[in-house]
Structure formats: C-alpha cells, structure tokens
Amino acid sequence: MAGVVGRLIRCWCRRAVAGRSRSALPSGHPALHPGCCSLKVPALQLHVSKTAMGASQKDFENAMNQVKLLKEDPGNEVKLKLYALYKQATEGPCNTPKPGVFDLINKAKWEAWNALGSLPKETARQNYVDLVSGLSSSSDSSSQAKPEADRKQAEYETVVMTSEDGITKIMLNRPAKKNALTEQMYQEIMLALEAASKDDSTITVLTGNGDYYSSGNDLTNFTNIPPEGVEAKAKNSAILLRNFVGSFIDFPKPLVAVVNGPAVGISVTVLGLFDLVYATDRATFHTPFSHLGQTPEGCSSYTFPKIMGPAKAAEMLIFGKKLTAGEAYAQGLVTEVFPDSTFQKEVWTRLKAYSKLPQNALRISKQIIRSQEKEKLHAVNAKESSILQERWLSSECMNAIMNFFSQKAKL
Ligand SMILES: CCCC/C=C/CC(=O)SCCNC(=O)CCNC(=O)[C@H](O)C(C)(C)COP(=O)(O)OP(=O)(O)OC[C@H]1O[C@@H](n2cnc3c(N)ncnc32)[C@H](O)[C@@H]1OP(=O)(O)O
C-alpha cells in the first residue's frame, strides 16, 4: 500500500507541477518537478495567507524558495511532512473532512496534516523552516561527496556522524583510547548535537566505536597546561564542561544512548539527560570521582538521586561503586539491557521503528518533559562545574592523575 501511495504522491507532484490539478496543491505550497525535484512556486501561488506571515515571514518565504533548489528528491515521507507543515502554518489544524478510503493521495495528505493536531501555526512554520534547512544542508553535502549506505552529514576527526532511516548517529571514534573524551571531542560532540538538532532526523543516537562506550574524560586533558597556568586551565575546562553538559540539557529531540561497552565518568553521568539508555550486557557504569579527587558532573548530583534514590546514587557518585548493566537497569539508569550477541540488531530494529513515529509529537513530548526542570538542570550544571574548577587544582586530583600515567593505578 505504501508503494501505491508513494507512486500516487509522485504522480500528484507531477500533476501539480504540470498545473493540471492546481487544486491538488494548496495555494502557496511549492510543487515538485518530476525527476530533478526542483520545486516550482508559481508566482500566483506565492501569496501566503496573512496568518502564515509574521515575525518569520522572510524565513518562511525563503524556505519555500529553498525547496526549489533541492538537488535530490527528498522522498514521499518528507514531501508529505512539508505539505502538512505548510497547511498547519497557513491554515492551522486540519479543517477538512477526511477523504474517502479510495482517494489514496488526498487521504495520505489529509492524514499527514491531521497528524499535526493542534500544533501552533508558529511552531509549524518554524518546523517547516527547520526541515527545509536540514534538507538543503544535506542536499548540498550529498552533492559534494557520494554518500555510502549512511549519508555522512559532516566530517569530524574524533566522532563519526551519519544519518539514515530518520536516525542521526553520533559515534565516538577513538577506540584505541577507549573513546576517552579529549577537548576536541567535547567540541565535536557539541557541534554534532547542534547539527542533529537541526537536521531532518527524528531521533539522535550517541554510541561508541570499539569495545568501550567511553572511558570518560581523557586524563591528558589535564597535562597540556597553557602558558597562563593551571588556574586558567581549570577555568577553561569548567567552561567547556558547562557548555558540553548544557548541550545535552537543551537538546530538543529524543536522545538515545546505545551503550556498546563499559562507560566511565562523564559518559555515565550525562546518561541522566538522555531519553533512552540501551546497554549491552557487557556494559559497566563507573563514576570514580572520589578516586580521582573529583566530584560529580553531568547534572548527576541531581539526576542520580532522582533516578535511583539517594543511597544508590551516593554509592556510585561518592564511593565509586561500578555497576553492571543489570544493576544499572535495576537502579533505573538503563532503560533496557540486551544480550551482547544480539544487542546491535535488536536495538537498531527498535530505533528504526521509533523513528517512524510522528516527528513533531516526539519532539514536543520530549520538550514538555524537559521543560519541567530545564532551569534547575542548568543551575545544577553551573554549580557542579564551578566546584570541579576548584577540585582540578587540588593535590588530591593532581596525584590521582599522575598515578594513572605512572601506571600505578587504573580504575
Ligand atoms: C573538561 C570536562 C571534564 C569532565 C570531567 C569528567 C570526569 C571524568 O570523566 S572522570 C573519569 C576519567 N576516566 C578515567 O579515569 C579512566 C582512565 N582509564 C582507565 O582506568 C583504563 O584505561 C580503563 C579501565 C578505562 C581501561 O583499561 P584497559 O586496561 O582495558 O585499557 P588501557 O590499556 O588502560 O587503555 C587503552 C589506552 O587508552 C588510554 N586511556 C584509556 N582511558 C583513558 C582516559 N580516560 N584518559 C586517557 N587515556 C586513556 C590508556 O592510557 C591506553 O593508552 P596507551 O595504549 O597509550 O597506553
């Protein structure tokens, strides 16, 4: 059936462009040329009802013009999404009777529009602009480098970012160093999250390459002291930490951790800011802050007691107890544990199904939940970062790091 609807939608676009069925397209919505998929916004249709205009009138019109420049056909699902968002932005909630069961193409359009429910016009307009800008950037990048099975969205050195099936995957890519997080990696993860928040994917996944998810902060971060001295280093690291954790607090889409192996330190604490945490049964969860003369970060001083209760949180964050995947699941930090042999297959099958859910509903639901305590989380993040700034200057911390490098002590 989907194939039939797909063919009909392509046909609808062709007919609309040929002008044989102007009524198939609402006034103002761009039509699709067959093949090159350049979109024509016939001059007479450029008029968009007053209600669609407003603060982002320019963005909205630009987005409609941008759609004309797409080099690749964005696919029927995206076309229906563009159509639905356009109608919602210009006319508000779906206000027409549902077409008959055999009127497949109008029924598909009606359903796409109706699925947006009571999404405010401004949000629909913004989502339209966001979707088009995501399409334009991926259309540009795909014209530069031939994508493999996954569409590479950007070139980073320490992470690999790909997007397919409505899922943007950010993979930590320093397996030889257990995906320890260097300063460059923190920056690249933030850039990747920023790009993922704007692309056309529905959910975003963070995972690790190799046998580790991540061994947390790269302890060499503390060895390259700038000419301004250790105080400046500690201050800059606190700013980096606060910005890094802040990008998880503010991330607008459903965010999933696919924990492919052991996780240490900050890679564990920020899990409290994810929406789903799927782990292989090989994974362990270790926050050895006291061993390192440090203190909790990633908002864990607030999220962990909430998630697992104060006693279990203290055992992890203060006393450094390492949890197995089963224990992390029992304590609520992990959503589900999978056998390592079937982990990737089961998890990605599940995620691909989730990524087919209505994108706006997922995003808005995530934002309703996160908005309840976003301010609190930012306050906790600021507090944790300023305390760590002092801790990093302590002899306890410096001795612990020297011990690690002198191979006296591993976790
Ligand atoms: C600016 C923001 C700051 C945010 C602060 C966050 C706090 C934290 O994240 S605290 C946690 C810090 N992480 C650690 O202390 C882990 C240290 N690593 C280890 O204890 C062990 O490497 C391991 C238990 C994770 C793994 O041991 P294993 O024997 O399996 O492998 P190794 O041979 O030790 O590791 C391979 C290779 O990778 C290097 N490496 C591993 N983890 C780190 C790390 N966190 N920092 C720097 N380097 C790391 C390790 O030295 C090895 O390198 P060589 O092959 O060159 O010897």
Side-chain angles (χ1 to χ4, degrees):
M1 177 60 89
V4 170
V5 175
R7 281 196 299 279
L8 283 167
I9 287 172
R10 276 192 295 281
C11 159
W12 154 52
C13 298
R14 273 200 294 278
R15 286 163 54 83
V17 169
R20 284 197 296 277
S21 60
R22 284 236 177 270
S23 59
L25 273 178
S27 70
H29 188 275
L32 291 173
H33 263 307
C36 69
C37 183
S38 66
L39 290 120
K40 212 112 191 79
V41 184
L44 65 97
Q45 292 193 352
L46 202 52
H47 166 72
V48 179
S49 70
K50 277 274 166 296
T51 46
M53 297 303 163
S56 60
Q57 171 183 353
K58 199 85 208 86
D59 299 338
F60 197 58
E61 279 187 334
N62 289 342
M64 289 169 67
N65 292 325
Q66 259 182 303
V67 169
K68 286 188 290 184
L69 307 175
L70 288 181
K71 299 182 183 69
E72 285 183 12
D73 182 330
N76 299 316
E77 200 179 314
V78 172
K79 286 181 230 175
L80 280 173
K81 205 179 287 181
L82 281 171
Y83 167 80
L85 286 170
Y86 176 83
K87 292 288 281 182
Q88 194 82 5
T90 53
E91 296 180 35
C94 182
N95 54 14
T96 58
K98 185 171 184 177
V101 65
F102 296 109
D103 185 357
L104 295 175
I105 189 162
N106 285 317
K107 187 163 156 289
K109 288 158 62 182
W110 184 90
E111 281 167 351
W113 181 14
N114 193 53
L116 298 182
S118 57
L119 186 73
K121 287 183 179 176
E122 306 68 41
T123 311
R125 199 169 53 219
Q126 186 59 55
N127 288 354
Y128 182 93
V129 171
D130 289 350
L131 177 55
V132 172
S133 74
L135 288 171
S136 307
S137 56
S138 57
S139 155
D140 291 346
S141 61
S142 64
S143 66
Q144 282 148 9
K146 261 292 141 263
E148 299 99 47
D150 282 346
R151 199 174 64 230
K152 276 197 169 41
Q153 284 204 327
E155 293 306 317
Y156 300 104
E157 284 178 22
T158 62
V159 300
V160 175
M161 183 169 172
T162 53
S163 194
E164 186 183 26
D165 294 329
I167 301 170
T168 291
K169 179 173 78 173
I170 302 168
M171 183 172 70
L172 307 179
N173 196 30
R174 291 183 78 220
K177 296 289 185 182
K178 307 297 181 185
N179 296 323
L181 302 171
T182 60
E183 288 167 353
Q184 178 186 0
M185 213 157 169
Y186 286 116
Q187 298 291 0
E188 292 193 345
I189 293 167
M190 284 191 273
L191 288 171
L193 285 172
E194 173 68 17
S197 72
K198 292 189 161 53
D199 69 15
D200 60 349
S201 66
T202 301
I203 58 178
T204 298
V205 169
L206 184 68
T207 191
N209 184 18
D211 64 340
Y212 259 64
Y213 175 67
S214 170
S215 76
N217 193 40
D218 189 308
L219 297 175
T220 60
N221 288 338
F222 295 114
T223 56
N224 50 353
I225 304 302
E228 303 79 23
V230 284
E231 284 77 10
K233 176 70 185 174
K235 184 165 184 283
N236 295 338
S237 298
I239 293 168
L240 175 62
L241 170 64
R242 184 171 174 178
N243 292 339
F244 179 72
V245 175
S247 59
F248 288 90
I249 296 171
D250 293 333
F251 191 72
K253 293 181 179 178
L255 183 62
V256 181
V258 173
V259 185
N260 57 294
V264 184
I266 189 162
S267 70
V268 177
T269 52
V270 291
L271 292 177
L273 301 172
F274 280 69
D275 302 292
L276 286 176
V277 178
Y278 289 149
T280 167
D281 55 12
R282 264 190 341 100
T284 55
F285 300 82
H286 195 191
T287 52
F289 302 127
S290 299
H291 292 69
L292 295 165
Q294 297 182 54
T295 45
E297 82 305 88
C299 294
S300 59
S301 60
Y302 171 71
T303 57
F304 278 31
K306 250 176 62 122
I307 291 169
M308 57 186 79
K312 292 293 185 187
E315 205 174 25
M316 280 194 84
L317 298 175
I318 300 174
F319 300 99
K321 183 188 178 200
K322 185 193 291 189
L323 300 188
T324 65
E327 288 168 328
Y329 167 72
Q331 292 178 203
L333 183 61
V334 167
T335 316
E336 192 167 344
V337 180
F338 299 81
D340 196 52
S341 57
T342 57
F343 175 60
Q344 295 291 347
K345 186 170 181 335
E346 283 193 72
V347 163
W348 286 99
T349 302
R350 176 97 54 98
L351 293 177
K352 283 176 185 162
Y354 286 163
S355 71
K356 297 288 173 283
L357 292 170
Q359 188 177 73
N360 293 306
L362 286 177
R363 184 198 279 237
I364 294 165
S365 301
K366 150 90 185 223
Q367 290 172 1
I368 292 175
I369 293 170
R370 180 52 46 89
S371 65
Q372 313 289 338
E373 47 185 14
K374 188 178 273 192
E375 254 178 67
K376 172 69 177 171
L377 290 168
H378 278 298
V380 169
N381 182 26
K383 182 81 184 153
E384 290 174 343
S385 303
S386 69
I387 290 171
L388 264 171
Q389 183 175 335
E390 291 153 27
R391 285 276 85 218
W392 286 326
L393 297 171
S394 68
S395 54
E396 286 177 339
C397 183
M398 290 182 187
N399 291 338
I401 288 163
M402 281 190 293
N403 284 343
F404 172 76
F405 286 111
S406 61
Q407 296 303 319
K408 279 186 210 154
K410 274 190 189 175
L411 293 175

